[in-house]
Amino acid sequence: MSVVTNIYAVLFYVATLVLVLGVGAKVASYARTPAPLKIPTMPAPLTKAGAAFRVGREVVIFESLFRSDKWLWLFAAMFHFGLLLVLLRHARYFVSSDFEPLWTLIVLVQPFGKYAAFAMVAGLLALLGRRFVLARVRYITQPSDVLMLLLLLGIGVTGACMTFVTHTDVVGVKSFFMGLMTLRWQPLPADPILLVHLACVAVLMMVFPISKLLHVPGIFFSPTRNQADDSRERRHLAPWAVRMDAERTN
Amino acid sequence: MADFQIPVLSDEPAEFVPELQPGTMAHLRPFVAKPDHNVPLGFPGELVDDWKDKAIGRMGDLLNRYRSLRVYLDSCVKCGSCADKCHYFLGTNDPKNMPVARQDLLRSVYRRYFTTSGKLFGPLVGARDLTQEVLEEWYTYFHQCSQCRRCSVFCPYGIDTAEISMAARDIMDHVGYGMKYCNEIITKVHKIGNNLGLPGPALQDTLDGLEEDVKDGTGHDVKFPMDVKGAEVLLVTPSADFFAEPHVDGLIGYAKVFHQAGVSWTVSSYASEAGNFGMFIGSYEQMFKISNRIRKAALELGVKRIVFGECGHAWRVAYSFLNTYAGPWDFLDPRYPVPQHILEFTNDLIRNGGIRLDKDANSGMVLTVHDSCNVARASRMGNVPGGQFSVPRDVIRACVPKFVDMHPDTIHDKTFCCGGGGGLLTDDLMELRVKGAKPRMEALKQVIEQQGVTHMAAMCAICKSQFTKVLPYYGMKMDMIVSVHGLVSNAIQLGVNKD
């Protein structure tokens, strides 16, 4: 097995571990920390199911962002939905073609995922442009915000290159990743564009739990969005506040 | 009139995004609390020597207590969706008044001391040490946030800058660097019973005087009871209602509604304040203590219901938090929500014919309404989401011949703060208050010019005081602000037989 294959195999094991354990630890800390007061941004749904639906709308259609800024919403939607389709297309590298009916779905999504790359990259370029063109966005931009966009652009552009410009050995890539998953390592094609693409992906996975990408789990734990408006009907008390009831003089 | 420049109002409300002018508000900060205001609240008298360690320690405590803080400090992607939504930014052009920039003042320190990325990469991810300079910046700009939550409406993750600024103020209080206005008032609430320091006997005099005035004006024996045991309703209202204009017209309105409905009521001299400034300083303990005065008063007076007067932040604490702090309310009449808003109470009576209103009493008036931020975005009225918008409008429409709404981007949950909320209603911040009122003033000016609006109704003691003070800076008359129940007071038909 080549040095490159060994390096990338270890890299992806480490990246996966960091991603899963890191995000897991963050999610656990969010779940463990109580929300002591009812603070939904009103008007809010009256039921828990309604609040879950509200969170769902934020996740799927970016409802609040749409109310705020139509251009930003468009750029964000292009990037996120582009990325979603591209990721679904990538399922072909991790699922055996014998695995039906999933394989049929993966085949169906291929053409969509292929061209979604353009939406993704265009969205990212627009988001990057905003950071330099709009004075107020430039003011709040930190180096890491630009680096994150460049990293995603690196992934998007190298990926699109392998689809539209110079093909890589996709069969070899699949056998490498299937090999990683079954602990029977297979060689990784030593194609420079592929190596850059995969290195960027590994970096993204490793910075996920320590960066603003935490907005992904964060939205599900946002009290202003996930709480129901039922404070007069149901008494809401954080575990750490329970003892205070006993301190009352009446 | 002012030693600062009064903003020029644009003709297009909620459209104009200002140029950035860094540092324009860096000079403005409220007076620092003195030991007399801090020590009774359990805070250090003045800035402690080891304030840095104490501040980091307190931030750690809060991160373990508040999921909102933990999630919101991590989740921001700096998209700028909130940036042009804050009235203080729109009115001052100071970029540190953009909600995200304000949050970053605290987030940068969180990154540095509580995150892996901040410890590894420092300035690359916007992390910075907590220094004296940073503390001063916190003091300045976390006292330029009225905790109105307009930014949280537009954030794709619901990040609420109010949660961040409350945490920052709590941290500053815990190192002895709180603000005078809020801490002095909270001290007064505990000592005397209300924010204005109006003792029981003075309150009794005021109420007696109101009784006489109403008798003279209407010929009816409308009562203003205090500390009456066994009354049906405990009215908890902001103390400004007892004498400030136009607040007191609202109190007279409540009294007339109770009188006409035949519902006995009382105020409590012990809990003679609806306001709860514990919220402004982000103190769970203070909010708990202040809230439980109401529980104690309700128990001692043996009332069956609790009704709140017109006050925005008080209604947030009442509607959203009172059950948490001072519940359960199993000793009150279960047929009514606890607590109720006076506007819910009045609206129900209008609907079922319990009171009659004559619009001609307010003839010549064209009304608009200012949705208070804490009513609009942090609480509800009635049974359906959005009742906090429809209930006040229904009551106003029943009282006046003509009502129009302001620009749709400045009402309902997109309402702009009056500019004086969140514990900033103090003269040492007058420049901020005037500038922060700009977006609301623009929307108001538009309906005055285009729709002939003559008055703006408000349902919050702070809004009423703020507008009364600020309107003249913009060339408008201070008496165009009215209490919603001031309109009810004019229109209600006393002595008319019920159905």
Side-chain angles (χ1 to χ4, degrees), chain A residues 84-161:
Chain A
L84 175 67
L85 288 170
V86 167
L87 280 175
L88 288 175
R89 183 169 190 252
H90 280 66
R92 64 181 179 164
Y93 294 108
F94 306 96
V95 175
S96 158
S97 58
D98 304 330
F99 201 75
E100 291 290 1
L102 190 57
W103 188 254
T104 309
L105 291 174
I106 292 171
V107 171
L108 270 175
V109 86
Q110 293 304 307
F112 298 100
K114 186 171 172 183
Y115 295 102
F118 292 110
M120 176 184 158
V121 170
L124 284 168
L125 286 172
L127 292 172
L128 187 62
R130 275 179 90 244
R131 294 216 172 266
F132 295 97
V133 174
L134 294 180
R136 62 179 186 278
V137 183
R138 192 166 60 229
Y139 182 88
I140 57 173
T141 296
Q142 279 144 7
S144 55
D145 298 316
V146 174
L147 290 176
M148 187 62 77
L149 286 170
L150 291 178
L151 183 63
L152 287 162
L153 271 170
I155 294 171
V157 169
T158 51
C161 266

Side-chain angles (χ1 to χ4, degrees), chain A residues 214-241:
Chain A
L214 287 170
H215 70 275
V216 177
I219 176 67
F220 294 96
F221 289 93
S222 173
T224 59
R225 293 294 182 269
N226 71 14
Q227 288 185 339
D229 167 12
D230 61 358
S231 50
R232 284 197 289 195
E233 290 74 33
R234 246 180 283 278
R235 188 158 187 235
H236 175 88
L237 210 53
W240 60 257

Side-chain angles (χ1 to χ4, degrees), chain B residues 320-335:
Chain B
S320 293
F321 306 157
L322 207 64
N323 203 3
T324 295
Y325 285 127
W329 299 107
D330 38 18
F331 58 92
L332 296 174
D333 188 335
R335 289 175 299 170

Side-chain angles (χ1 to χ4, degrees), chain A:
Chain A
M1 214 65 65
S2 73
V3 177
V4 170
T5 297
N6 286 336
I7 289 174
Y8 273 74
V10 172
L11 182 65
F12 270 90
Y13 281 131
V14 171
T16 307
L17 218 59
V18 170
L19 176 70
V20 172
L21 294 181
V23 174
K26 273 291 179 186
V27 166
S29 82
Y30 296 160
R32 218 175 24 237
T33 311
L37 293 167
K38 292 303 285 266
I39 59 164
T41 306
M42 304 283 195
L46 304 186
T47 61
K48 284 193 170 136
F53 185 57
R54 181 187 197 182
V55 172
R57 293 199 306 275
E58 294 291 4
V59 170
V60 178
I61 61 169
F62 311 161
E63 186 178 51
S64 294
L65 190 59
F66 188 76
R67 292 186 76 195
S68 171
D69 185 335
K70 302 288 187 282
W71 281 110
L72 178 55
W73 179 88
L74 179 69
F75 302 152
M78 283 166 68
F79 161 60
H80 283 91
F81 285 104
L83 177 64
L84 175 67
L85 288 170
V86 167
L87 280 175
L88 288 175
R89 183 169 190 252
H90 280 66
R92 64 181 179 164
Y93 294 108
F94 306 96
V95 175
S96 158
S97 58
D98 304 330
F99 201 75
E100 291 290 1
L102 190 57
W103 188 254
T104 309
L105 291 174
I106 292 171
V107 171
L108 270 175
V109 86
Q110 293 304 307
F112 298 100
K114 186 171 172 183
Y115 295 102
F118 292 110
M120 176 184 158
V121 170
L124 284 168
L125 286 172
L127 292 172
L128 187 62
R130 275 179 90 244
R131 294 216 172 266
F132 295 97
V133 174
L134 294 180
R136 62 179 186 278
V137 183
R138 192 166 60 229
Y139 182 88
I140 57 173
T141 296
Q142 279 144 7
S144 55
D145 298 316
V146 174
L147 290 176
M148 187 62 77
L149 286 170
L150 291 178
L151 183 63
L152 287 162
L153 271 170
I155 294 171
V157 169
T158 51
C161 266
M162 287 183 284
T163 300
F164 297 105
V165 183
T166 160
H167 291 278
T168 196
D169 173 12
V170 291
V171 176
V173 174
K174 177 161 186 168
S175 79
F176 171 75
F177 279 103
M178 296 298 283
L180 284 187
M181 285 160 59
T182 52
L183 302 178
R184 285 189 294 266
W185 292 10
Q186 302 294 320
L188 177 67
D191 176 350
I193 301 186
L194 174 68
L195 294 183
V196 172
H197 183 72
L198 292 181
C200 288
V201 170
V203 171
L204 186 74
M205 289 166 75
M206 288 188 288
V207 298
F208 200 110
I210 58 166
S211 70
K212 65 179 184 179
L213 299 184
L214 287 170
H215 70 275
V216 177
I219 176 67
F220 294 96
F221 289 93
S222 173
T224 59
R225 293 294 182 269
N226 71 14
Q227 288 185 339
D229 167 12
D230 61 358
S231 50
R232 284 197 289 195
E233 290 74 33
R234 246 180 283 278
R235 188 158 187 235
H236 175 88
L237 210 53
W240 60 257
V242 171
R243 59 170 173 80
M244 293 174 70
D245 273 9
E247 291 169 19
R248 295 198 294 222
T249 49
N250 44 72

Side-chain angles (χ1 to χ4, degrees), chain B residues 96-115:
Chain B
K96 287 197 175 121
N97 276 327
M98 297 190 293
V100 46
R102 195 187 315 282
Q103 294 164 24
D104 277 352
L105 300 178
L106 193 76
R107 185 177 286 116
S108 54
V109 174
Y110 164 74
R111 285 256 163 89
R112 167 67 184 77
Y113 295 93
F114 294 94
T115 71

Side-chain angles (χ1 to χ4, degrees), chain B residues 296-497:
Chain B
K296 195 171 174 188
L299 280 165
E300 283 179 6
L301 294 170
V303 295
K304 298 188 181 71
R305 307 164 67 173
I306 298 174
V307 173
F308 270 70
E310 296 177 5
C311 184
H313 85 280
W315 183 237
R316 180 183 193 187
V317 179
Y319 178 88
S320 293
F321 306 157
L322 207 64
N323 203 3
T324 295
Y325 285 127
W329 299 107
D330 38 18
F331 58 92
L332 296 174
D333 188 335
R335 289 175 299 170
Y336 305 100
V338 184
Q340 260 188 311
H341 195 285
I342 187 69
L343 277 162
E344 292 178 309
F345 184 87
T346 299
N347 195 43
D348 285 348
L349 287 164
I350 295 172
R351 279 194 192 173
N352 64 28
I355 57 172
R356 300 273 183 82
L357 297 159
D358 175 16
K359 295 182 182 190
D360 288 342
N362 289 312
S363 67
M365 293 174 93
V366 179
L367 258 293
T368 191
V369 69
H370 169 72
D371 291 293
S372 294
C373 43
N374 276 304
V375 174
R377 287 187 284 263
S379 56
R380 194 182 86 214
M381 294 179 196
N383 299 321
V384 293
Q388 66 269 41
F389 314 132
S390 61
V391 168
R393 283 168 175 76
D394 288 349
V395 170
I396 295 168
R397 282 202 180 93
C399 293
V400 300
K402 190 178 174 194
F403 171 86
V404 293
D405 255 319
M406 286 180 277
H407 193 285
D409 287 343
T410 71
I411 59 168
H412 292 190
D413 59 339
K414 295 182 180 175
T415 189
F416 278 108
C417 170
C418 61
L424 309 181
L425 191 77
T426 171
D427 285 351
D428 27 330
L429 293 175
M430 191 51 73
E431 178 180 354
L432 181 77
R433 288 168 54 186
V434 170
K435 290 179 173 176
K438 179 182 178 237
R440 172 49 77 223
M441 292 297 107
E442 280 169 350
L444 177 59
K445 182 174 156 238
Q446 189 183 47
V447 288
I448 290 173
E449 287 172 357
Q450 296 178 5
Q451 314 241 34
V453 161
T454 62
H455 292 81
M456 179 162 73
M459 58 194 98
C460 164
I462 288 175
C463 298
K464 292 170 196 173
S465 299
Q466 156 75 355
F467 285 135
T468 307
K469 192 98 180 201
V470 160
L471 276 168
Y473 284 88
Y474 289 98
M476 294 181 244
K477 288 209 180 91
M478 61 190 281
D479 59 6
M480 71 176 299
I481 299 302
V482 294
S483 296
V484 177
H485 270 80
L487 299 169
V488 175
S489 175
N490 292 341
I492 193 166
Q493 300 293 287
L494 294 175
V496 174
N497 286 339

